[in-house]
Amino acid sequence: MPSLFNSQPSTALGGAKRWLVAGILLAVVVSLFSAQFNRYYLGIAIDCGISIILAVSLNLINGHTGQFSLGHAGFMAVGGYSAAKLSLVCSPMVPDSLKPLLFLAALVLGGCVAALIGLGVGIPSLRLKGDYLAIVTLGFGEIIRVVVQNMDSVGAASGLKGIPKYTTLGWTFALAAITIYVVATLVNSTYGRGFIAVNDDEVAASSMGINPVRYKVTAFVIGAFFAGVAGGLYAHHKQFLSPTGFDFLKSIDIVVMVILGGMGRTVGVIIAAIVLTLLPEVLRQFADYRMIIYSLIIIGLMMARPQGLFTTGWKKKGVAAV
Amino acid sequence: MSQPLLQLDQATIRFGGLTAVGDLSLDVHANELVGLIGPNGAGKTTAFNLITGVYQTTAGTIHFGGRNIRGMKPHDLTKLGIARTFQNIRLFSSLSVFDNVRAATQLHRAHGIRNALWRGIGFHRAEKEVETQVLELLDIFDLGRLRDEEAKSLPYGDQRRLEIVRALATKPKLLLLDEPAAGMNPTEKEALMKLIKFIQTKFQIAIMLVEHDMKVVMGICEKIAVLEYGRKIAEGTPVEIQKDPKVIAAYLGTEGEDDDA
Ligand SMILES: Nc1ncnc2c1ncn2[C@@H]1O[C@H](COP(=O)(O)OP(=O)(O)OP(=O)(O)O)[C@@H](O)[C@H]1O
Ligand SMILES: [Mg+2]
């Protein structure tokens, strides 16, 4: 059975890597033509890509590893502000031809800052048994918001303006491909089975030589990194950041994508990310009711389809998560 | 005899006022098959939890391979060579039979996160090796044909055997089996006895067996320790244990219970 991310040995370019290269090539092709796209649809397509990065990376934490983080918007904010600040400071000094490099550096910086903070938040709360992570990340998100609101160097409450428009569909597409690749290949390896084992039964995993804390922290830090990258993309897409954009409700949005996508099924989560990004656009006139609709959807799903909306019987096939 | 592999020296654990295991001293030598028996609530599972680092002793010491295991976590001890099964089966329920065992092999593999991401030639070779190893193990226990089944969908007896295979995949020096015969019918129990003996000789490891079925314990163990209310009341060969008046007294009150357990 030729599966997307299996570990069959092949030529120098292994199966999974080939998909990644194909994805990035496609992104390049897409970006060549994106000038002809309708601006409105282009913007929405980029929104979808950013949602995919957020949801797939949160899926590693909440889906595969079975933690409950409510901090993804916080990491997105950290990454977004760091990346935006770097390009705001450096772009006057960088010639146009090197702007893509600056953008790349800004995204990597955003990801790394988010990952570092993720490490600081994750280690103490993941060492404890129980659902401390949810509480700590919830608090963390609020702290980030308050800190940003009072930091004049990043525009404080009025927001950070004039961020250069570097984000293109190509960049977004390529980074989404990388995120999917990283999460899927990681989980679909002997090493990565540890994430699911920890999720299934921590005591048993520990007795099989798997260090649960290390796995949980690893998943958390990788997830935070990509949330930071997504924040960087978002900043250079909207060209404006305001602390209110990264509140608790934004984290909930991403959590819903993961739940709807089936907690641990990469393909389902991607579809859910796209659907839930498009839905508010379609239902603009009902925007006020979105949170009500969301909570009803979650409750309904938990009762009717706890395995997720877009999953069929794949799980049976021995590959728990593709 | 040489230095014991596992050495409990007055190991004690108290939960509040309850001494679940008290002053337990016991030696297990390499490649020895030791039974640990006692009425319900005697502290057998708790003793296993002490040996595997799930609980820490409140007094006394435990040495494994000459090292004091104080403060070590279960995964550290698995690395040192202690593996176990659980009284109430704890398989990875969302993983396949194959992946349950695969997850337990990574302890001895060098390839970690970087390799999983980069997927160079070395990664594929290593993954192939894991696959061969896992399938070999599964085949020995006649579970190879079920490799892609979800672990939780297996019949009870197969689940118990899969738990043993998973524990063996960590390449232990000491295997702790907590009531492996529970829920099995007489034929299955017969097969299990052979299997445990087979594991002992084939893998050359020491085994500690907690079991209520006296026929199983007496049939295969070389040495038996008896617990009652957390204390060791007897230790000896099966013949000695069967004749021991203290053991007989301890079991008289619980006889009926033990037979159906
Ligand atoms: N975590 C705990 N907290 C409090 N008491 C405990 C804990 N674990 C075990 N005990 C108590 O310690 C005693 C020994 O329990 P244990 O499970 O070791 O018995 P056992 O010999 O394995 O019995 P069984 O044959 O029923 O499996 C029991 O009284 C039990 O209630
Ligand atoms: Mg027990």
Side-chain angles (χ1 to χ4, degrees):
Chain A
M1 178 189 67
S3 114
L4 201 56
F5 296 107
N6 65 4
S7 51
Q8 294 306 308
S10 53
T11 49
L13 219 58
K17 250 192 275 175
R18 207 156 25 195
W19 280 97
L20 176 66
V21 172
I24 292 175
L25 281 180
L26 190 61
V28 172
V29 173
V30 166
S31 60
L32 288 180
F33 292 99
S34 61
Q36 272 125 45
F37 292 171
N38 173 317
R39 288 267 313 267
Y40 173 70
Y41 291 119
L42 196 63
I44 292 180
I46 291 175
D47 287 342
C48 283
I50 293 173
S51 294
I52 290 173
I53 298 174
L54 288 167
V56 170
S57 58
L58 184 67
N59 188 33
L60 179 62
I61 305 170
N62 286 23
H64 294 300
T65 320
Q67 305 306 297
F68 196 74
S69 168
L70 285 169
H72 236 48
F75 292 119
M76 191 187 172
V78 168
Y81 273 100
S82 315
K85 194 66 198 170
L86 182 75
S87 41
L88 274 173
V89 170
C90 293
S91 73
M93 300 178 256
V94 174
D96 271 354
S97 57
L98 291 181
K99 288 279 155 72
L101 269 183
L102 172 63
F103 186 36
L104 185 65
L107 291 175
V108 172
L109 176 78
C112 288
V113 174
L116 263 179
I117 294 184
L119 197 64
V121 172
I123 288 180
S125 40
L126 290 166
R127 286 168 69 102
L128 302 170
K129 291 212 162 63
D131 291 328
Y132 291 96
L133 190 67
I135 300 161
V136 172
T137 49
L138 182 66
F140 156 76
E142 290 305 293
I143 290 170
I144 290 294
R145 214 162 51 81
V146 172
V147 168
V148 169
Q149 237 156 21
N150 292 292
M151 251 168 89
D152 289 328
S153 60
V154 292
S158 54
L160 190 59
K161 299 179 200 69
I163 305 165
K165 183 147 187 87
Y166 292 154
T167 301
T168 60
L169 189 57
W171 275 99
T172 314
F173 207 116
L175 284 163
I178 291 173
T179 311
I180 296 167
Y181 171 85
V182 166
V183 173
T185 50
L186 206 56
V187 171
N188 286 291
S189 64
T190 300
Y191 169 82
R193 284 301 177 236
F195 292 107
I196 302 168
V198 168
N199 183 0
D200 277 348
D201 190 327
E202 209 176 311
V203 174
S206 178
S207 296
M208 297 307 129
I210 294 164
N211 182 343
V213 175
R214 165 167 271 173
Y215 267 90
K216 287 194 275 187
V217 171
T218 303
F220 192 67
V221 169
I222 292 174
F225 175 85
F226 283 108
V229 170
L233 283 170
Y234 178 85
H236 295 83
H237 171 48
K238 303 289 183 197
Q239 298 181 269
F240 170 73
L241 289 179
S242 112
T244 48
F246 302 107
D247 58 359
F248 167 65
L249 294 181
K250 178 69 192 170
S251 286
I252 295 284
D253 274 358
I254 311 166
V255 168
V256 173
M257 291 170 189
V258 173
I259 294 178
L260 208 64
M263 300 282 265
R265 322 298 170 80
T266 305
V267 176
V269 168
I270 293 170
I271 298 174
I274 295 173
V275 169
L276 287 181
T277 310
L278 295 180
L279 209 59
E281 298 295 331
V282 180
L283 302 174
R284 272 201 176 259
Q285 63 268 47
F286 305 117
D288 292 343
Y289 303 106
R290 198 179 50 154
M291 285 325 284
I292 299 175
I293 297 174
Y294 269 19
S295 11
L296 289 179
I297 288 178
I298 299 181
I299 295 170
L301 263 183
M302 289 301 186
M303 295 194 307
R305 281 189 73 85
Q307 72 275 42
L309 202 56
F310 308 107
T311 46
T312 50
W314 303 339
K315 218 171 174 179
K316 272 232 97 115
K317 275 276 135 233
V319 183
V322 163
Chain B
M1 237 194 232
S2 60
Q3 195 204 19
L5 180 64
L6 175 76
Q7 202 169 16
L8 283 83
D9 187 14
Q10 302 199 301
T12 301
I13 182 169
R14 281 183 282 269
F15 297 111
L18 175 86
T19 304
V21 173
D23 294 325
L24 176 61
S25 297
L26 183 68
D27 288 351
V28 177
H29 292 267
N31 205 18
E32 199 177 17
L33 210 174
V34 177
L36 187 61
I37 63 172
N40 289 108
K44 307 178 293 292
T45 300
T46 307
F48 273 13
N49 284 335
L50 287 177
I51 297 168
T52 53
V54 175
Y55 297 147
Q56 295 290 327
T57 49
T58 34
T61 55
I62 300 176
H63 284 81
F64 182 76
R67 280 176 71 170
N68 190 337
I69 67 162
R70 169 134 221 108
M72 289 193 185
K73 293 260 162 36
H75 52 88
D76 298 323
L77 288 165
T78 314
K79 238 165 257 169
L80 281 188
I82 302 179
R84 72 178 295 181
T85 64
F86 295 89
Q87 183 170 351
N88 35 3
I89 304 176
R90 301 185 85 142
L91 289 165
F92 303 129
S93 55
S94 67
L95 289 179
S96 66
V97 167
F98 176 77
D99 276 342
N100 260 275
V101 183
R102 183 154 80 120
T105 60
Q106 56 176 301
L107 180 61
H108 297 285
R109 315 220 57 91
H111 82 257
I113 190 166
R114 200 148 37 89
N115 224 327
L117 285 177
W118 180 244
R119 311 228 148 179
I121 304 289
F123 169 81
H124 294 295
R125 202 181 308 124
E127 292 286 88
K128 198 80 209 161
E129 242 169 64
V130 170
E131 184 177 349
T132 319
Q133 230 179 63
V134 170
L135 287 183
E136 240 169 52
L137 262 182
L138 284 174
D139 280 337
I140 295 178
F141 296 90
D142 191 30
L143 289 167
R145 66 208 152 82
L146 301 170
R147 66 170 280 184
D148 288 331
E149 295 297 316
E150 233 175 17
K152 64 168 174 246
S153 69
L154 298 190
Y156 200 72
D158 286 343
Q159 288 196 21
R160 285 238 176 255
R161 275 187 304 140
L162 178 58
E163 245 203 342
I164 297 177
V165 178
R166 186 180 64 170
L168 286 173
T170 66
K171 301 197 178 144
K173 298 191 182 87
L174 170 68
L175 175 63
L176 309 178
L177 301 174
D178 200 345
E179 303 198 21
M184 288 187 171
N185 63 36
T187 336
E188 283 175 322
K189 280 182 185 169
E190 196 70 40
L192 181 77
M193 284 169 70
K194 288 210 188 85
L195 189 70
I196 293 173
K197 266 293 184 202
F198 168 79
I199 292 170
Q200 185 196 13
T201 42
K202 157 113 189 165
F203 296 92
Q204 287 290 306
I205 57 177
I207 299 176
M208 270 183 92
L209 174 67
V210 164
E211 186 48 65
H212 279 298
D213 190 295
M214 286 307 135
K215 196 161 156 276
V216 174
V217 180
M218 298 296 167
I220 57 176
C221 291
E222 290 140 21
K223 181 168 90 184
I224 294 172
V226 189
L227 289 184
E228 189 189 21
Y229 298 118
R231 313 227 159 232
K232 187 172 79 177
I233 55 168
E235 181 182 334
T237 63
V239 181
E240 287 164 359
I241 292 297
Q242 275 164 317
K243 287 193 300 218
D244 193 307
K246 272 194 278 184
V247 177
I248 295 167
Y251 267 93
L252 267 182
T254 54
E255 214 168 32
E257 213 174 318
D258 289 332
D259 282 343
D260 61 20

